[in-house]
Amino acid sequence: MNPHVETPILTAGLFDYAEWRAERLQRVKSLLVWLEETGLDLELARPVLQRQITRLDHDRMTLAFVAEFSRGKSELINAIFFSGHGQRILPAGAGRTTMCPMELFSDPSQPRGLRLLPIDTRLQSQTLAQWKSSPQVWTYFELPSQDAQGLAQALTHLSDTQRVPLERAQELGFFHDAEELAQLTTDADGEVEIPLWRHALVNFAHPLLDQGLSILDTPGLNAVGAEPELTLSLIPSANAVVFVLGADTGVTRSDLDIWNRHIAPASGAQTLVALNKVDSLWDPLLTAPQISASIDHQVQTTAATLRLPVDRVFPVSAHKALLARIQGDGPLLARSGLGALENALNRAANIDRRGMLDGALREAVEQVQTALDQQLRQQLHDTQGQLDELLGLRGKNANMVVLMLQRLSAERSEFDAGMAQVLALRAVNNRMLEKLRERFASKSVLQELEQLESRMGAAVLKLGVKGELTRIGAELRNRLVEAETQIEEIRQMLAAAFTRANSEFGFTVSAPRVLRLNGLMQEFDRAMHAYTEHLSGVNWLKLQNNAYTLRTLRGLSSRVRDLFERALRDIENWDRSAIAQLDSQVRERKKQLNRRLATLQRIEDTKDSLHDRINELRAQVEHIGTLQRGLNDQLQRVRLG
């Protein structure tokens, strides 16, 4: 990085985020190690903390850049992420632009390099996710990551094109728009130019990418519109989306098509607009205030056209920003406007993401603290009870010990008999949970979608898709509603059983928390709406392409399966946590009863002195207090920061 230009805001923010995430990860790991050494029962706490460790360790952040061709999107990515190389890395400029969607990431578990999926695979029904598991289909190029010029040269393959007959191009998803066809010119052989590649995976070591950042670059309406997975899965799941427009062209019809069809439906606070090439408005014949007014007018017009708040539209000059960073020109960099966009991206992709992870971690810590505090209080109660019991024996004769042994043996027998209720509870709970599993089983959930896929694959005209998806969506959503009712039935059953156990055995088991599927239902509703709308109306002509229809339906099936599997995992974790409370207290009670019996037996057999055992119990009480203070300190350490 040029020393005369400060580190980019987003770059600094992402490194800060990665450092924060690594620190929190280490704190949670240290907490788990400390807990393992205490000898506490961690059946409830361990899986809760392990889930947080996995989440922090594998967290990935995706930034999606979407634009029509020639809006300067690749140059913007170069300016934000790759100016430290001292030159352009992604192809940009006249005649050099990325022609296919690209995922840029760092994954040492996969081969480093550039993998390109041939455009002809669009004629087949496999989804992009399925193609990613078939490496032999992709064309591979090595990437010399330590050689900026060689890296840039290798990535020029992203601009590769081929010429094919118009009919072939249309089979592959290009040139269906009437206006586009009217402006299209063919060569002497009646051929047109299309991208050679359908999708690119760029895996190479880079400081930001190594921290878990990935960049999704999606060029052109043809690329976005022809790939339902981009529109309906990859772009909506990005942590932030940057829609790039040209200040020299304003919002064109094709820009508006991309926005209305593919971005606006899932647009949120993490969707930003970069009004690029603002340097085209730097007219040397105008005064600075006049230039500023011209830029402001373009921003206002863009925001109004896209129906966005003005503060989400950022006038930038990617070209000038890249030049400024390479040359160390601070004033030019400030004038380029890139800082404001990077600051907004930093908030959307870094600060907001951090807040979400931190919120989940704090919730997990509270859950762990509740469970372990309860366990330690129960241990303290039982240990203090034993101590009081033995203190009451001082000065008493041997017959008193025998009577206490008899009473304690009867208490353990009564407790063991009562455990039959716990086994019966587990059996009932397992039966109820199995019914929920059946409701979420992939084969059952996806049956009707697979039947629709089969019917559409055999149909000459793809009619009635919207109505079928609306019906299937309603039935699947009803499964979620009914599942929520079953969850509440399980909760009430467990709460009643826990109340009885608390009353009969002096346990302190809390009633299970209420579990709602509202968030997941909202995700399901958005996904079904997006796919239903995508498979109707303006895309009717595309639906007549069998491979496109099957790819889209399979993408929907994959999305639905993922949502239902996540719901089932949440339900099973919730149920496991609830039952673990009871199991923990049952084990602890058995342990305490056995200890009391062993103590009295030793005293009766004169194998141990009453005085020594009283001292042991006093030491245990002190140790429990130390554990309570240590637990509070450890949990507070995880919360801070």
Side-chain angles (χ1 to χ4, degrees), residues 4 17 90 135 145 161 215 239 279 298 314 437 539 573:
H4 301 293
Y17 171 76
L90 296 182
S145 57
T161 60
I215 299 168
N239 299 98
D279 53 297
Q298 192 74 303
F314 297 87
R437 290 193 182 102
N539 290 317
N573 288 332

Side-chain angles (χ1 to χ4, degrees), residues 45-71:
R46 187 183 290 109
V48 171
L49 294 176
Q50 286 287 7
R51 285 195 292 272
Q52 292 304 312
I53 288 172
T54 300
R55 188 173 188 180
L56 287 166
D57 197 25
H58 295 89
D59 180 63
R60 294 293 179 265
M61 185 182 299
T62 301
L63 304 183
F65 291 79
V66 186
E68 186 56 284
F69 288 108
S70 302
R71 301 296 185 262

Side-chain angles (χ1 to χ4, degrees), residues 78 85 87-92 96-98 113-114 116 141-160 197 202 204:
N78 282 325
H85 288 276
Q87 67 173 74
R88 292 187 178 97
I89 296 300
L90 296 182
R96 294 182 70 248
T97 186
T98 51
L114 168 65
L116 296 162
F141 295 95
E142 290 188 2
L143 292 179
S145 57
Q146 301 303 316
D147 174 11
Q149 188 171 354
L151 176 62
Q153 180 60 38
L155 290 177
T156 58
H157 286 293
L158 297 169
S159 305
D160 290 348
W197 312 111
V202 184
F204 80 106

Side-chain angles (χ1 to χ4, degrees), residues 383 595 613 615-625:
T383 305
R595 283 174 180 167
R613 183 54 183 156
N615 287 338
E616 286 179 18
L617 289 172
R618 282 173 171 163
Q620 284 182 28
V621 169
E622 186 176 341
H623 177 64
I624 292 170

Side-chain angles (χ1 to χ4, degrees), residues 266-398:
S267 175
Q270 288 72 36
T271 301
L272 309 173
V273 173
L275 189 60
N276 193 24
K277 303 185 181 181
V278 73
D279 53 297
S280 66
L281 304 179
W282 297 353
D283 189 338
L285 299 180
L286 298 178
T287 64
Q290 288 174 322
I291 293 173
S292 179
S294 177
I295 293 173
D296 286 344
H297 174 73
Q298 192 74 303
V299 168
Q300 295 279 353
T301 301
T302 299
T305 303
L306 301 181
R307 298 179 182 178
L308 272 182
V310 173
D311 61 5
R312 281 166 57 189
V313 179
F314 297 87
V316 297
S317 171
H319 172 70
K320 300 303 182 188
L322 178 61
L323 180 65
R325 281 189 169 146
I326 291 174
Q327 297 182 345
D329 189 337
L332 181 60
L333 179 61
R335 194 181 184 196
S336 75
L338 190 63
L341 174 61
E342 287 184 324
N343 199 29
L345 267 176
N346 184 51
R347 174 162 295 281
N350 168 18
I351 299 173
D352 292 350
R353 179 68 174 170
R354 182 186 302 200
M356 185 179 69
L357 286 177
D358 197 40
L361 182 56
R362 287 176 182 275
E363 184 178 329
V365 167
E366 291 302 321
Q367 191 176 350
V368 168
Q369 181 161 28
T370 298
L372 296 181
D373 275 348
Q374 191 178 68
Q375 187 180 145
L376 287 170
R377 283 196 303 270
Q378 188 66 45
Q379 284 186 11
L380 183 61
H381 176 271
D382 292 341
T383 305
Q384 188 64 53
Q386 289 182 61
L387 179 58
D388 293 341
E389 189 175 62
L390 295 186
L391 287 172
L393 284 176
R394 288 193 300 191
K396 302 292 176 64
N397 58 34

Side-chain angles (χ1 to χ4, degrees), residues 171-237:
E171 285 179 28
L172 292 168
F174 299 98
F175 311 121
H176 288 294
D177 184 88
E179 183 176 325
E180 190 179 25
L181 279 171
Q183 299 174 355
L184 184 65
T185 56
T186 58
D187 61 17
D189 297 323
E191 294 185 333
V192 294
E193 186 178 52
I194 63 169
L196 182 60
W197 312 111
R198 174 183 175 185
H199 200 80
L201 299 174
V202 184
N203 180 14
F204 80 106
H206 178 279
L208 281 174
L209 302 179
D210 292 341
Q211 301 300 330
L213 173 70
S214 62
I215 299 168
L216 177 63
D217 179 357
T218 56
L221 180 59
N222 276 324
V224 178
E227 299 290 355
E229 281 174 272
L230 286 175
T231 306
L232 303 169
S233 179
L234 294 178
I235 294 174
S237 64

Side-chain angles (χ1 to χ4, degrees), residues 432-449:
M432 297 178 76
L433 195 59
E434 191 56 38
K435 288 182 179 179
L436 269 173
R437 290 193 182 102
E438 292 172 3
R439 187 176 296 280
F440 285 90
S442 293
K443 184 175 181 180
S444 172
V445 167
L446 300 180
Q447 183 178 16
E448 291 211 58
L449 280 172

